[in-house]
Amino acid sequence: MKRAFFVLILFAILLLTAHMVWAKVSVTLELDRLEATLSDAVQLKIHMSGARKSDAPPVIKGLDAFHVTRGGSASRVEIINGQYHSGVDFTYYLQAREKGAFKVGPASIEVDGKIYESNVATLKVTAQGTASGTASPPVFLTATLGSQKAYVEEQVPFILKLYLRVNVSDISLDLPEVGELTFRQLEKPKEYQAVFDGTSYRVLEVSYGVMPLKAGRVRIPPARMGMTVYTNQDRRARGLFDDPFFGGAFRSGRPLTVSSDPLALEVRSFPEKNKPAEFSGLVGQFAIEEKLSGSEIHVGDSVTLTVRLKGEGNVNRLPDVKMPALAHLKTYADEPVFETGPGANGPIGSKTMKWALVPEQAGEYTIPPFTINYFDPRKATYRTIRTKVMVLNVLPGESQKLITASQKEKKKDPSNHSKQAVKELGHDILPIYTSTSGLGNNGWLSSKSMGPENPYAWVVLAVPFLVYGAVFLGLRFNKKSDQAINAQRARKAAQNFMKECRKEKKDADGMIIAVRDYINDRFQLSIGSLTPADVPKLLVERGVDSRTADELRNVLEDLEGRIYTGGKATCGRTPQAIQEIIKRMEKELR
């Protein structure tokens, strides 16, 4: 009995000791290297011991100079020398934005309401090494401009090439943010094989058009591409799912961000010499076409005049040509039709304008040429294009011919003016009342039959008014109901958008759809497809400040660019930026 009691006491002491070991919490910060280059992804691990979970994720100081990617967390339980230890490891990947020596840490973790801090580590970051004299890098990014000089609003190709010798996934693109430049994707990304410095690479190429907005020297910061890289260097823990049979589907990768070199663009102003007075800022190569649906018509008929401007350049500045006023010729203009799309060296587009011409009298009408001025950056000169002179021959109308013919017949046959006696040809099928017998005392139209004593007479008289009142009230009610529903949707549009953003993490395509739904609800529209180019005009016409509209367009263009990078279209910090823009729009619309 004493022996059993002694064993129980010893077991209780062991349990208490184990509990005390678990209760001792410590936090350690560890870097997998202390020196790195701008292209390296450094692994940061936060080891928490003595607890199985924390109240919140770690808070790490000193990460402002890095791109940070979270790698996940893992719990562990260890028995060392008969003692139980539990803990959690948090993994992060850091990539420096610039050169220098940076202090990372301390990391703070809250456990049961108490905060524990880690040590501090120093990471030295140097410039990216070159390939000369060393092995070629497995991943790198280049950026080139089609020309080092350009005129204001001249489109310049901006080509990004991602060179790969390893497998990657989840590619995302961050374009440079420059206020004096706009970026527009020219074509879909393409993939091919190429040789660089004697080494074969798989190349992903993305083409953009850069349009400078004002003169001067513009510095273009580096573009960045983020991705997950898979390598076969670490084979210490090779397992079943690392077998090539599974295609590497269960391998874990490491995040990596590569940057291109910065570029510079010299932007020139338009020359003042020989500058046309009517120059509107149109830059590129353009042509004009004209067509008259008929050269000869009659008075009262119509003919369609079509003028089409087309070309390559800043096509958003294609002007609306105006039809000159011509005597005795009525003109009815259609809404201009503007079409645009990507081209090999920039956006291409056209604007088609049509007029219906209706002559009021016979004769010959001369339509003067339409004139357009633009600047040709290839020749560095102003050019003028114009339509041909068109002639419309108008003949007398058919109505005038009939009047002339009838007047001639009357002169030939004067008997046409003499009156003729009326002949009775027969009776109608239904009886015709030829007397007032129906108005007698017993007639069907008598006051006795249709008098106030007859309730049916009142019903007959009241029915039209009742029907009219019911229809009027019904239409009025439906109109008010539709207006109330639309007004309610407009009031809740921003609130619904914020809820949608907080509900789940959206990709770039989902965020564009959410913005489209917000605009539809806010302004009672039914847009099926929303492009960034349509946003400024649509919002400014409804009272939004032009700077806010342009800012939303830029964010949507960034999201659109992420969709076409070939990988996962992540949003980054874009949802917060859009939410701030939406809040600003709501204030401007009040």
Side-chain angles (χ1 to χ4, degrees):
M1 186 68 181
K2 290 183 178 180
R3 185 176 181 181
F5 181 77
F6 178 79
V7 171
L8 290 174
I9 293 296
L10 182 61
F11 183 73
I13 292 174
L14 290 174
L15 288 177
L16 181 60
T17 304
H19 176 72
M20 291 174 63
V21 170
W22 257 321
K24 188 177 180 181
V25 178
S26 64
V27 181
T28 305
L29 184 149
E30 179 186 1
L31 296 174
D32 68 345
R33 72 195 81 174
L34 297 180
E35 291 188 5
T37 66
L38 290 173
S39 61
D40 292 335
V42 179
Q43 186 184 69
L44 165 65
K45 277 197 172 184
I46 307 297
H47 303 283
M48 182 185 70
S49 300
R52 293 185 176 181
K53 63 179 182 178
S54 61
D55 299 345
V59 177
I60 309 171
K61 296 181 179 180
L63 300 183
D64 295 339
F66 299 91
H67 294 283
V68 182
T69 304
R70 185 172 180 179
S73 60
S75 301
R76 53 183 167 79
V77 177
E78 302 171 333
I79 301 177
I80 303 175
N81 296 328
Q83 295 181 339
Y84 293 88
H85 297 269
S86 65
V88 182
D89 295 334
F90 300 90
T91 304
Y92 301 86
Y93 294 96
L94 312 180
Q95 187 163 8
R97 302 176 189 267
E98 56 187 353
K99 298 182 295 181
F102 305 98
K103 290 185 177 181
V104 181
S108 302
I109 297 181
E110 184 177 353
V111 179
D112 296 332
K114 188 176 180 181
I115 297 178
Y116 299 87
E117 287 192 350
S118 72
N119 56 304
V120 177
T122 301
L123 178 63
K124 184 179 179 181
V125 180
T126 59
Q128 184 173 348
T130 60
S132 59
T134 61
S136 300
V139 182
F140 64 94
L141 178 67
T142 65
T144 56
L145 286 170
S147 174
Q148 303 299 319
K149 297 180 180 180
Y151 287 94
V152 175
E153 294 198 20
E154 178 188 356
Q155 196 85 12
V156 178
F158 178 73
I159 310 298
L160 294 173
K161 293 182 180 180
L162 178 65
Y163 289 81
L164 301 168
R165 286 197 299 114
V166 294
N167 293 327
V168 300
S169 66
D170 301 337
I171 300 176
S172 63
L173 171 63
D174 289 328
L175 288 172
E177 295 184 0
V178 185
E180 297 85 1
L181 299 177
T182 61
F183 291 83
R184 183 187 181 100
Q185 189 164 351
L186 300 181
E187 55 186 351
K188 292 183 178 180
K190 50 188 176 183
E191 191 173 346
Y192 53 87
Q193 293 290 131
V195 176
F196 187 89
D197 283 348
T199 304
S200 179
Y201 284 90
R202 181 163 53 96
V203 181
L204 177 65
E205 180 179 315
V206 189
S207 301
Y208 284 85
V210 177
M211 180 181 290
L213 302 180
K214 66 178 184 180
R217 184 174 178 82
V218 181
R219 180 182 179 275
I220 304 177
R224 296 180 181 272
M225 276 193 178
M227 67 207 75
T228 302
V229 179
Y230 302 94
T231 63
N232 296 321
Q233 296 177 356
D234 188 4
R235 297 182 178 273
R236 291 173 298 174
R238 185 179 180 91
L240 171 65
F241 295 113
D242 293 313
D243 192 275
F245 173 78
F246 294 96
F250 295 92
R251 290 179 299 167
S252 60
R254 171 174 293 211
L256 175 68
T257 300
V258 292
S259 303
S260 65
D261 292 330
L263 301 172
L265 181 63
E266 191 70 32
V267 184
R268 295 176 286 187
S269 301
F270 298 121
E272 293 297 328
K273 185 179 179 181
N274 299 326
K275 185 177 182 179
E278 300 82 9
F279 178 65
S280 62
L282 191 62
V283 181
Q285 287 76 41
F286 298 93
I288 190 168
E289 301 173 350
E290 77 287 338
K291 181 181 178 182
L292 201 59
S293 62
S295 60
E296 187 175 275
I297 60 173
H298 294 88
V299 173
D301 293 341
S302 66
V303 66
T304 301
L305 170 62
T306 304
V307 175
R308 184 169 181 258
L309 287 169
K310 63 178 182 178
E312 179 183 78
N314 57 345
V315 293
N316 289 328
R317 284 189 176 270
L318 284 173
D320 293 341
V321 297
K322 295 183 178 180
M323 177 71 187
L326 299 177
H328 308 296
L329 185 67
K330 291 185 177 180
T331 59
Y332 301 93
D334 286 351
E335 190 72 22
V337 177
F338 176 69
E339 297 176 335
T340 184
N345 299 314
I348 59 175
S350 66
K351 179 173 283 189
T352 304
M353 291 144 286
K354 293 184 178 182
W355 296 268
L357 309 181
V358 182
E360 296 180 316
Q361 65 181 33
E364 187 177 87
Y365 295 84
T366 300
I367 302 174
F370 297 90
T371 302
I372 298 295
N373 299 298
Y374 71 92
F375 183 78
D376 186 350
R378 296 177 183 175
K379 303 294 184 180
T381 185
Y382 295 98
R383 293 186 178 275
T384 301
I385 53 176
R386 53 176 57 88
T387 61
K388 298 177 182 178
V389 176
M390 291 166 281
V391 177
L392 178 63
N393 187 26
V394 181
L395 305 176
E398 295 295 332
S399 58
Q400 293 177 325
K401 292 182 179 180
L402 292 175
I403 293 173
T404 304
S406 62
Q407 290 175 349
K408 291 180 179 179
E409 290 176 358
K410 289 179 181 178
K411 291 180 179 179
K412 291 181 180 179
D413 189 7
S415 61
N416 290 335
H417 297 280
S418 60
K419 295 183 179 180
Q420 297 181 1
V422 178
K423 296 181 180 180
E424 185 177 351
L425 300 178
H427 292 279
D428 199 350
I429 297 175
L430 295 177
I432 298 176
Y433 293 97
T434 57
S435 68
T436 60
S437 60
L439 300 176
N441 293 332
N442 295 322
W444 64 279
L445 289 175
S446 65
S447 59
K448 182 177 181 181
S449 298
M450 297 297 293
E453 299 87 0
N454 190 347
Y456 296 104
W458 289 104
V459 172
V460 171
L461 294 174
V463 164
F465 296 99
L466 294 174
V467 172
Y468 174 79
V471 171
F472 176 79
L473 293 176
L475 293 175
R476 190 72 177 271
F477 178 77
N478 288 337
K479 184 176 181 181
K480 288 185 176 180
S481 299
D482 293 340
Q483 292 175 348
I485 292 173
N486 292 334
Q488 187 177 11
R489 284 178 57 191
R491 286 195 301 270
K492 292 187 176 181
Q495 183 180 356
N496 293 337
F497 177 80
M498 302 301 176
K499 289 182 179 178
E500 193 70 21
C501 288
R502 292 192 294 265
K503 186 186 302 181
E504 58 184 60
K505 189 175 180 180
K506 294 184 176 295
D507 58 7
D509 191 38
M511 185 56 61
I512 291 176
I513 293 174
V515 173
R516 180 202 66 188
D517 294 341
Y518 162 75
I519 292 177
N520 282 337
D521 292 343
R522 184 64 179 83
F523 301 110
Q524 303 175 20
L525 303 174
S526 57
I527 300 173
S529 176
L530 180 67
T531 61
D534 299 332
V535 169
K537 182 180 179 182
L538 187 148
L539 296 180
V540 170
E541 289 178 349
R542 287 160 176 80
V544 178
D545 187 84
S546 60
R547 291 172 294 183
T548 304
D550 289 338
E551 189 174 347
L552 181 59
R553 178 199 60 192
N554 294 336
V555 175
L556 292 178
E557 286 179 347
D558 178 63
L559 288 174
E560 193 177 66
R562 295 172 186 265
I563 295 175
Y564 293 109
T565 54
K568 184 177 179 182
T570 57
C571 291
R573 298 183 178 179
T574 303
Q576 291 80 5
I578 294 182
Q579 291 182 41
E580 293 299 325
I581 295 173
I582 297 299
K583 291 178 182 178
R584 202 182 316 149
M585 285 172 50
E586 291 295 325
K587 291 181 180 179
E588 294 171 359
L589 292 170
R590 290 175 184 171

